Amino acid sequence: MRGRGSIGRYLNRQLEVHRPETTDDGHGGQSTTLVLKGTVRAKVDQPSPTERMVAAQTLSRHSHDIFLLPRADVRRGDELRGTDALGNAQVFRVQSVIQPSTPVYTKALVELTQGEGEPDG
């Protein structure tokens, strides 16, 4: 991702953005649901070898960096959903979103949770 120019050529995946929304349930409480807000183009970096080793454990979690266009509407708490190159469904929970001082991209630090027997990353 180094260098100047458009990051767009590196963004090889489409991910759905699901955002939590809280509404009154009509009985004095609230309910939170994830609402589809749109899709974003993205590049999902692979986890480190150490994270891959840990990912072999049941219900392990590991982080990924996801690169997006500078104006992508992605926020902490969102879920990014899509499939990997093999067609496996993936759900990433956004932990933080940052931009460099020159906004040529947005980077989301996300966590992928896996169940037993699922491929890593």
Side-chain angles (χ1 to χ4, degrees):
M1 293 299 167
R2 297 185 198 276
R4 293 191 111 96
S6 174
I7 187 176
R9 67 176 168 245
Y10 299 106
L11 306 180
N12 57 4
R13 290 179 61 177
Q14 290 281 335
L15 298 175
E16 293 180 340
V17 178
H18 294 259
R19 184 161 297 142
E21 289 189 2
T22 303
T23 56
D24 291 333
D25 66 7
H27 302 286
Q30 294 182 324
S31 81
T32 301
T33 57
L34 290 170
V35 177
L36 176 63
K37 291 296 187 175
T39 60
V40 292
R41 293 175 51 206
K43 178 186 182 300
V44 179
D45 276 358
Q46 294 301 310
S48 70
T50 301
E51 288 174 318
R52 285 178 181 245
M53 182 181 72
V54 171
Q57 300 172 12
T58 303
L59 291 178
S60 71
R61 294 182 170 147
H62 56 279
S63 61
H64 290 263
D65 289 328
I66 295 183
F67 292 89
L68 309 155
L69 291 172
R71 297 188 188 271
D73 184 16
V74 173
R75 305 174 190 172
R76 183 176 181 266
D78 286 353
E79 279 188 4
L80 303 179
R81 300 178 186 177
T83 55
D84 65 13
L86 298 175
N88 299 307
Q90 294 181 309
V91 177
F92 302 96
R93 171 77 61 179
V94 178
Q95 303 299 310
S96 65
V97 178
I98 61 169
Q99 283 187 335
S101 57
T102 303
V104 291
Y105 63 84
T106 294
K107 181 168 77 170
L109 175 63
V110 302
E111 184 176 77
L112 172 67
T113 302
Q114 294 179 281
E116 188 173 357
E118 291 181 10
D120 63 339

